[in-house]
């Protein structure tokens, strides 16, 4: 065994830091335990946004319209209930029961096919509170209790039902992923006790990730759902690399020294490996659609916390389990695969050209991938109870595609004309606004009535009606109407009711009880409509379309709606709804897709340039992974299977950032072996070496994606999982059976495009007793170039290319020298020794004159 330098005399600052981490492991255990306890509470502080539309850019019509509607209008809570297998009379009875629930404002139900069809009844229930008010949830709970005895289906946007259902699904997925991880680790580790070391490390990173999300305020339901599973799959390499390093060092060192040495080597190696993954995730932060930055930041944080767990916690865990790892060793279950390397070598002239043709074809095919921007055309493998309810209601009573039309307020005549024009369009099922909402006796809310018409409407004395109209004209500063007579003065019905209610409330108008009750009932209905349909500056119309949520015809009609509105309004006009949101997403997709691909390629390219110090190697590796991405998204294009657009944006980033690691492992090993071996032997040994790493990480990521894609009911998450699982499998196959051939053929290109980075040369001068360990070039009582691990007593003047020159005391020298297998011969400046040395050098110079000249010339150059 080679001598080990005690850590206290560490060779560098890195050794000292690593020694501190190992020696203070109990401190780090305590810190992680405290953080884990804190995370158990802080994870409940995270707010989750369930709406994809909330992440649209501020410049989009949907985002501006949603913000405006939140300021201008009240949106009351509502739900739709379908009860199957009941008679019409039973349905009427149930309607009365619904109306008796506290907090229910109205229940829409009649004998039309929109409410009673195929022995089923459909009730539209509106609550008397804003949809964000907790009182709506209380009333909704009462509705749920009432329909429990029936075959009922409830659909509503109230509460976080969808989020809760997704969370339940992800719990099942997480358990299955853990089982898969355990199985893979059992096959790929060399000792059973390695498994708890890795699991504790993974678990700590995951707990910190969950607990730290609150610092971001609000995260999307997509990030909240899939981050933990992806964190495990993406960061598993880091712990495995460190553990393998430890086992390698432990062959010649005790556990403590082995961990310190392994950690000092693993930190730069793992940090470099993580840069490609982080680089792909950084590309997501450049998306206009803000769910990209949301998920990118959350995943980057997850990677960083995994690194923290590996660097600070795992060394202490290895120290604890080191004895047990020795006792639980088992045979290696992962076989060598020399046949793969032989196949790659023998097919290098066939596979590489075929792959080039394949990725060119894939590029054009994937451009025709049927991306969709909403859930209506997606068919997920699972259906949750909300989706089942929506499907049942849709099958029996048709779909409902609602568009909110927001226009400048105040012009009731223009509003009525626009509503009439919309109602004439075959694409419109119905439309509703103040100008066509029925009030009393056939009048609409915005119809203008004279004093006599108003008096007859509510059975009011004409003289009282005249006084009220006079007061209204004075309040409206319309004095000309009072002077010229009130008989022809007309006021919109809704405005007059609002005015009278205010006057009664302030005590200026007194009416008999019956008339007052009529006015109060009318005011309640009108005010309810006004709060939803008229704000301070804008009016809202509700347009129900006969068109599907997502189709070219729907998007075209939305543009026509704008054109129609421009005929009557000159101010800002907004359309808001699922169809409009999907149209906005479609407009941002092209730009985001281009930016994500370019940024991810550039970031990874820069990392690879510094990793391989060759211009050709990064191009080859990126071509392989980018080709894998194109092939991945050619599959749904060929199958004509709709895929949610977000899947392409997120998976292409993850696939570029994470799967490139597989290519790096193969390329790095091959480049190293090519310095001493032939191409054939290099590629065979490379594939044997790379297979365990690739199969471990790749299997976990692929299985995680497949499970997410097959065990979720959410369209966005389903698409991400499906594409990630398929893409990882494709990347593994291509890096195993295509990349080697490309490396073999591109060997010359790689070597000719290599470059050398000039690093600062560290010149050291020392005298006395010194420990020299590393690659040095210079004078050490003569000219020396080579790798040294020696103790020198004398003068040094050398360039340190790698390693260290460390001063030593006599006591340290004695300790180290005594541990060496051979005693170190000291050169002392005694006359006899000096004479012997001179004779030896003279003899060597006669035997090898040319070698001496080269050394002398090298020394002179270095001295200069």
């Amino acid at each position: 065994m080679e001598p080990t330098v005690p850590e206290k005399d560490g060779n560098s600052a890195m050794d000292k830091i690593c020694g501190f981490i190992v020696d203070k492991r109990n401190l780090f255990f305590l810190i992680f335990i405290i953080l884990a306890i804190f995370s158990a509470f802080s994870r409940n502080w995270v707010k989750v946004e369930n709406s994809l539309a909330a992440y649209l850019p501020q410049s989009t019509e949907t985002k501006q319209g949603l913000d405006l509607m939140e300021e201008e209008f009240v949106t009351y809570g509502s739900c739709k209930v379908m009860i199957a297998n009941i008679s019409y009379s039973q349905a009427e009875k149930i309607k009365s029961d619904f109306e008796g629930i506290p907090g229910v404002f109205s229940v829409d139900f009649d004998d039309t096919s929109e409410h009673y069809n195929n022995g089923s009844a459909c009730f539209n229930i509106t609550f008397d509170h804003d949809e964000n008010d907790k009182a709506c949830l209380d009333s909704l709970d009462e509705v749920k209790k009432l329909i429990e005895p029936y075959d009922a289906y409830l659909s509503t946007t109230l509460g976080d039902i969808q989020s809760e259902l997704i969370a339940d699904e992800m719990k099942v997925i997480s358990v299955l992923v853990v089982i898969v991880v355990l199985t893979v680790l059992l096959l790929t580790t060399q000792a059973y006790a390695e498994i708890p070391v890795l699991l504790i490390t993974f678990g700590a990173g995951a707990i910190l990730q969950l607990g730290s999300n609150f610092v971001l305020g609000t995260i999307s339901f997509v990030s909240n759902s899939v981050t933990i599973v992806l964190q495990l799959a993406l960061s598993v390499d880091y712990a495995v690399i460190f553990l393998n390093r430890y086992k390698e060092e432990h062959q010649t060192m005790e556990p403590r020294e082995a961990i310190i040495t392994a950690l000092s080597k693993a930190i730069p190696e793992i940090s470099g490996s993580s840069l490609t993954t982080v680089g792909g995730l950084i590309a997501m932060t450049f998306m206009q659609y803000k769910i990209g930055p949301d998920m990118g930041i959350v995943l980057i944080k997850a990677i960083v916390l995994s690194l923290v767990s590996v660097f600070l916690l795992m060394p202490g865990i290895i120290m604890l389990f080191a004895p047990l790892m020795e006792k639980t060793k088992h045979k290696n279950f992962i076989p060598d695969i020399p046949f793969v390397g032989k196949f790659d070598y023998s097919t290098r002239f066939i596979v590489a050209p075929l792959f080039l043709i394949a990725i060119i074809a894939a590029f054009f095919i994937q451009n025709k991938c049927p991306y969709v921007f909403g859930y209506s055309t997606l068919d997920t493998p699972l259906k949750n109870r909300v989706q089942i309810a929506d499907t049942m209601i849709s099958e029996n009573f048709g779909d409902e595609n609602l568009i909110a039309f927001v226009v400048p307020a105040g012009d009731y005549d223009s509003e009525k004309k626009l509503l009439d024009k919309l109602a004439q369009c075959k694409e419109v099922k119905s439309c509703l606004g103040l100008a066509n909402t029925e009030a009393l006796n056939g009048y609409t809310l915005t119809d203008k009535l004279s004093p006599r018409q108003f008096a007859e409407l509510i059975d009011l004395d004409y003289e009282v009606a005249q006084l009220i109209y006079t007061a209204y004209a004075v309040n409206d500063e319309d004095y000309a109407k009072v002077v010229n007579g009130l008989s022809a003065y007309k006021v919109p019905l809704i405005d007059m009711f609002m005015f009278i209610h205010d006057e009664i409330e302030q005590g200026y108008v007194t009416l008999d009880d019956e008339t007052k009750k009529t006015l109060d009932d009318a005011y309640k209905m009108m005010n309810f409509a006004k709060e939803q349909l008229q704000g301070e500056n804008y009016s809202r119309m509700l347009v129900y379309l006969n068109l599907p949520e997502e189709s070219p015809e729907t998007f075209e009609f939305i543009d026509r709606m704008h054109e129609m509105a421009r005929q009557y309004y000159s101010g800002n006009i907004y359309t808001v709804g699922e169809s409009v949101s999907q149209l906005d997403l479609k407009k941002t997709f092209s730009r985001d897709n281009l930016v994500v691909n370019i940024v991810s390629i550039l970031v990874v390219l820069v990392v690879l340039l510094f990793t391989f110090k060759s211009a050709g190697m990064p191009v080859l590796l990126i071509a392989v992974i980018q080709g894998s991405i194109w092939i991945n998204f050619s599959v749904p294009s060929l199958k004509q299977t709709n895929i949610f657009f977000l899947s392409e944006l997120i998976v292409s980033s993850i696939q570029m950032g994470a799967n490139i690691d597989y290519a790096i492992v193969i390329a790095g090993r091959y480049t190293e072996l090519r310095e001493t071996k032939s191409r054939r032997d290099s590629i065979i040994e490379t594939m044997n070496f790379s297979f365990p790493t690739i199969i471990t990480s790749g299997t976990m990521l692929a299985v995680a994606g497949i499970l997410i894609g097959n065990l979720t009911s959410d369209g966005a998450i389903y698409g991400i999982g499906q594409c990630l699982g398929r893409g990882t499998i494709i990347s593994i196959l291509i890096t195993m059976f295509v990349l080697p051939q490309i490396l073999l053929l591109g060997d010359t290109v790689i070597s000719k495009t290599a470059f050398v980075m000039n690093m600062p040369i560290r010149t050291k001068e020392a005298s006395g007793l010194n420990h020299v360990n590393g690659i040095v070039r210079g004078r050490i009582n003569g000219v020396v170039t080579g790798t040294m691990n020696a103790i020198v007593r004398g003068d040094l003047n050398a360039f340190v290319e790698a390693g260290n020159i460390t001063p030593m005391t006599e006591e340290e020298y004695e300790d180290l020298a005594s541990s060496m297998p051979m005693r170190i011969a000291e050169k002392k400046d005694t006359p006899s020794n000096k004479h012997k040395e001179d004779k030896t050098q003279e003899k060597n110079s006669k035997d090898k004159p040319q070698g001496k000249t080269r050394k002398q010339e090298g020394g002179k150059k270095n001295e200069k």
Side-chain angles (χ1 to χ4, degrees):
M1 181 181 291
E2 293 183 1
T4 302
V5 179
E7 190 277 328
K8 64 180 181 180
D9 306 314
N11 297 322
S12 67
M14 179 63 77
D15 291 327
K16 294 179 181 178
I17 294 171
C18 296
F20 176 82
I21 293 172
V22 174
D23 292 337
K24 301 298 181 182
R25 55 188 176 274
N26 289 333
L27 172 63
F28 288 106
F29 289 161
L30 179 62
I31 292 173
F32 271 85
I33 290 172
I34 293 172
L35 291 175
I37 295 172
F38 175 78
S39 297
F41 294 96
S42 62
R43 64 176 298 181
N44 298 318
W45 305 342
V46 182
K47 295 181 180 178
V48 179
E49 176 57 63
N50 296 312
S51 172
L52 291 173
Y55 290 93
L56 282 166
Q58 193 61 45
S59 59
T60 59
E61 182 180 12
T62 297
K63 184 64 175 174
Q64 294 176 7
L66 286 172
D67 292 343
L68 182 64
M69 289 198 304
E70 188 173 351
E71 295 174 6
E72 293 273 329
F73 310 106
V74 174
T75 301
Y76 288 96
S78 63
C79 68
K80 184 176 288 189
V81 176
M82 172 186 154
I83 300 180
N85 304 315
I86 60 171
S87 65
Y88 183 75
S89 59
Q90 286 178 301
E92 286 185 315
K93 171 66 170 57
I94 294 172
K95 176 190 175 184
S96 300
D97 294 337
F98 282 143
E99 290 173 336
I101 294 176
V104 171
F105 180 81
S106 64
V107 180
D108 293 337
F109 175 78
D110 54 38
D111 59 355
T112 64
S113 60
E114 292 183 0
H115 291 284
Y116 189 79
N117 190 34
N118 297 328
S120 300
C122 183
F123 306 89
N124 293 327
I125 303 173
T126 304
F127 300 111
D128 198 12
H129 301 280
D130 186 282
E131 62 180 355
N132 297 319
D133 195 322
K134 184 181 179 300
C136 281
L137 297 178
D138 295 336
S139 299
L140 183 64
D141 289 338
E142 294 299 319
V143 171
K144 292 177 181 178
K145 291 179 183 177
L146 195 151
I147 63 177
E148 278 180 1
Y150 302 98
D151 181 11
Y153 303 90
L154 185 146
S155 174
T156 183
T157 57
L158 297 175
D160 293 328
I161 297 176
Q162 188 73 9
S163 178
E164 293 170 3
L165 293 173
I166 294 173
D168 291 339
E169 293 170 356
M170 293 309 300
K171 288 176 184 177
V172 175
I173 293 172
S174 298
V175 171
L176 293 175
V177 169
V178 169
I179 293 173
V180 171
V181 169
L182 283 171
T183 304
V184 173
L185 292 178
L186 279 171
L187 296 175
T188 56
T189 55
Q190 295 174 345
Y192 295 115
E194 293 176 17
I195 296 175
V197 172
L198 295 172
L199 289 181
I200 293 172
T201 304
F202 298 153
I207 291 171
L208 295 185
Q209 164 63 13
L210 286 172
S212 60
N213 280 334
F214 80 95
V215 301
L216 302 176
T218 301
I219 63 174
S220 69
F221 72 94
V222 179
S223 299
N224 188 57
S225 301
V226 302
T227 300
I228 295 301
V229 176
L230 292 181
Q231 179 186 11
L232 171 61
L234 290 173
S235 62
V236 64
D237 284 348
Y238 311 147
V240 171
I241 289 172
F242 178 34
L243 188 60
N244 288 339
R245 276 288 183 186
Y246 162 74
K247 289 185 289 185
E248 182 181 338
E249 300 297 335
H250 185 44
Q251 294 177 2
T252 57
M253 297 182 183
E254 293 300 316
R256 177 181 174 277
E257 285 72 26
I259 295 172
I260 294 172
T261 305
L263 185 59
S264 64
K265 294 179 179 179
I267 287 177
E269 183 180 356
I270 294 172
S271 299
S273 176
S274 67
L275 285 177
T276 55
T277 303
V278 172
L281 298 175
I282 287 174
M284 293 167 59
T285 65
F286 286 83
M287 288 169 53
Q288 279 185 319
Y289 187 38
K290 297 306 178 185
I291 206 166
D294 173 86
M295 193 168 183
I297 291 171
V298 172
L299 281 173
I300 290 172
K301 179 167 65 68
I303 297 297
V304 171
L305 291 173
S306 294
L307 292 175
V308 169
S309 181
V310 170
F311 294 155
L312 300 182
L313 181 64
M314 192 173 176
I317 299 173
I318 293 177
M319 279 292 293
L320 288 179
F321 283 86
L324 195 57
M325 283 193 284
E326 290 294 321
K327 295 177 182 178
T328 59
K329 286 184 177 180
H330 58 74
K331 68 175 183 178
N332 187 6
F333 297 114
I334 302 297
D336 287 340
I337 51 170
F339 60 90
V340 174
K342 293 176 182 177
F343 169 83
D344 292 338
Y345 183 79
S346 62
T347 59
R348 63 191 184 281
F349 296 112
I350 301 172
V351 171
L354 288 177
F355 179 69
L356 178 61
I357 296 171
I359 62 173
I360 292 174
F363 171 75
F364 291 102
I365 294 172
Q366 60 91 31
N367 279 332
K368 298 180 180 179
C369 189
Y371 297 111
V372 295
F373 304 89
Y375 288 179
S376 59
T377 58
L378 291 176
D379 187 19
T380 56
L382 295 182
K383 298 287 185 184
N384 60 47
R385 64 176 184 269
V386 174
Q387 292 169 326
I388 293 173
D390 290 338
T391 301
M392 290 295 294
I393 294 172
S394 175
E395 289 177 352
N396 285 277
F397 298 97
D399 293 321
E400 189 175 84
N401 186 9
L402 171 64
I403 302 290
F405 212 169
V406 182
V407 297
D411 190 347
Y412 294 139
D413 293 334
S414 294
E415 181 176 324
K416 183 170 180 55
K417 291 176 183 177
L418 179 56
L419 286 168
D420 289 342
K421 191 163 190 174
L422 285 169
Q424 295 172 7
C425 298
K426 67 180 187 327
E427 295 88 353
V428 176
K429 182 188 297 184
S430 64
C431 50
L432 177 68
L434 287 179
N436 69 348
T437 298
E438 187 175 341
L440 297 170
N441 295 349
Y443 289 113
T444 65
L445 291 175
T446 61
D447 282 344
K448 295 181 178 180
L449 276 66
S450 66
R452 184 169 298 280
Q453 290 173 314
F454 185 75
E456 293 173 353
L457 178 65
I458 64 171
D459 195 19
L460 185 67
D461 288 340
Y462 178 59
E463 291 77 9
V464 175
Q466 285 182 312
L467 289 173
I468 293 173
Y469 267 65
T470 301
Y472 182 91
V474 171
N475 185 70
D476 203 35
E477 297 184 355
D478 197 354
Y479 304 109
K481 299 296 183 182
V482 179
V483 175
N484 298 328
L486 293 172
S487 58
Y489 183 29
K490 292 187 176 182
V491 177
L493 186 59
I494 187 171
D495 292 345
M496 182 53 67
F497 269 98
M498 296 296 110
F499 174 74
I500 294 175
H501 180 268
D502 291 341
E503 293 296 297
I504 293 173
E505 289 293 313
Q506 296 175 25
Y508 298 132
V509 175
T510 303
L511 300 173
D512 61 77
D513 293 342
E514 186 176 348
T515 305
K516 186 175 183 304
K517 184 178 184 308
T518 302
L519 285 171
D520 286 343
D521 292 342
Y523 170 79
K524 183 179 179 182
M525 295 296 297
M526 291 181 186
N527 187 61
F528 185 81
K530 183 177 181 179
E531 286 186 331
Q532 295 184 87
L533 301 175
Q534 187 178 56
E536 185 177 349
N537 302 298
Y538 286 87
S539 291
R540 177 165 62 175
M541 291 170 273
L542 306 180
V543 183
Y544 295 87
L545 303 182
N546 288 316
L547 300 170
E549 278 188 5
E550 184 174 358
S551 71
E553 295 78 15
T554 305
F555 296 154
E556 181 184 351
F557 186 71
I558 291 171
D559 292 334
R560 281 178 54 200
M561 289 175 66
H562 281 273
E563 293 174 5
M564 286 186 278
R566 290 294 174 202
Q567 298 176 17
Y568 306 103
Y569 296 96
S570 58
N572 293 329
I573 298 167
Y574 303 95
T575 52
V576 181
E578 285 296 327
S579 293
V580 184
S581 174
Q582 291 162 27
L583 178 58
D584 286 334
L585 290 172
K586 184 177 181 180
K587 292 176 181 177
T588 63
F589 173 65
S590 298
R591 182 263 183 195
D592 282 345
N593 194 25
L594 181 64
V595 169
V596 164
N597 285 326
I598 291 176
V599 172
S600 61
I601 289 173
L602 288 178
V603 173
V604 173
L605 180 64
V606 171
V607 174
L608 294 180
L609 276 173
F610 286 96
T611 301
F612 290 100
K613 299 179 179 63
S614 166
M617 181 68 84
V619 173
L620 293 178
L621 298 187
I622 287 176
V624 167
I625 299 302
Q626 187 60 54
S628 302
I629 294 172
W630 288 339
I631 293 172
N632 183 18
F633 288 96
S634 296
V635 174
S637 183
L638 292 172
K639 295 171 64 178
Q640 282 301 296
T641 303
N642 290 340
I643 182 170
F644 196 59
F645 79 103
L646 197 60
S647 308
E648 208 280 342
L649 295 173
I650 291 176
V651 172
S652 61
S653 298
I654 295 177
Q655 195 173 348
M656 175 59 74
N659 294 172
I660 195 75
D661 284 347
Y662 312 151
I664 292 173
V665 170
I666 292 176
R669 188 69 171 183
Y670 175 76
T671 304
E672 180 183 337
L673 292 173
R674 275 291 289 129
E675 295 178 0
T676 57
K677 297 188 177 184
S678 67
R679 295 184 183 184
R680 184 178 184 276
D681 292 340
S682 296
I683 205 64
I684 292 173
E685 188 172 333
T686 294
M687 300 315 295
N688 283 335
F689 169 81
S690 305
F691 181 64
T693 302
I694 293 174
I695 203 66
T696 301
S697 175
T699 301
M700 291 182 185
L701 187 57
V703 171
I706 291 170
L707 289 175
I708 291 172
N710 287 279
L711 296 176
T712 184
S713 58
D714 183 82
I717 298 173
Y718 156 71
I720 292 171
Q722 183 189 50
C723 295
L724 184 60
R726 182 177 62 237
T728 302
I729 293 172
I730 291 172
S731 294
I732 292 173
L733 292 175
I734 288 178
T735 52
M736 293 289 291
F737 297 101
V738 176
L739 176 61
Q741 290 90 323
I742 293 175
L743 291 175
L744 289 166
L745 294 182
D747 194 286
T748 304
V749 175
I750 294 168
S751 60
K752 288 190 175 182
T753 56
F755 58 87
V756 177
M757 297 179 62
N758 294 322
M759 302 299 291
I761 298 177
R762 298 181 294 162
T763 305
K764 278 205 170 187
E765 294 185 8
S767 60
L769 190 61
N770 292 277
H771 178 216
V772 182
N773 182 16
I775 301 175
V776 297
R777 186 172 70 249
R779 282 192 173 277
I780 307 176
N781 282 335
V783 180
V784 177
T785 300
T787 302
M788 299 184 66
N789 187 355
I791 297 174
V792 175
R793 188 188 297 275
D795 298 327
L796 292 92
N797 185 355
F799 299 147
V800 182
E801 295 181 0
N804 296 277
I805 297 176
T806 309
M808 300 181 69
T809 64
E810 290 291 343
E811 291 79 7
E812 292 169 341
Y813 164 70
E814 292 294 339
D815 292 340
L816 183 60
S818 63
S819 66
M820 290 185 176
M822 294 177 61
R823 296 291 296 175
I824 297 175
E826 299 181 23
K827 295 181 180 180
K828 298 181 180 179
D829 286 335
T830 61
S832 60
N833 282 342
K834 180 72 174 175
H835 179 68
K836 290 178 183 178
E837 180 182 2
D838 292 341
K839 275 195 167 188
T840 302
Q841 290 179 351
E842 184 180 352
K843 183 177 183 301
N844 289 338
S845 67
K846 289 178 181 178
D847 293 341
K848 299 180 181 180
Q850 293 178 347
K852 180 179 179 182
T853 303
R854 284 196 295 269
K855 287 185 179 181
Q856 288 175 338
E857 289 175 354
K860 288 178 181 178
K861 288 180 181 179
N862 290 334
E863 287 178 75
K864 291 179 182 179

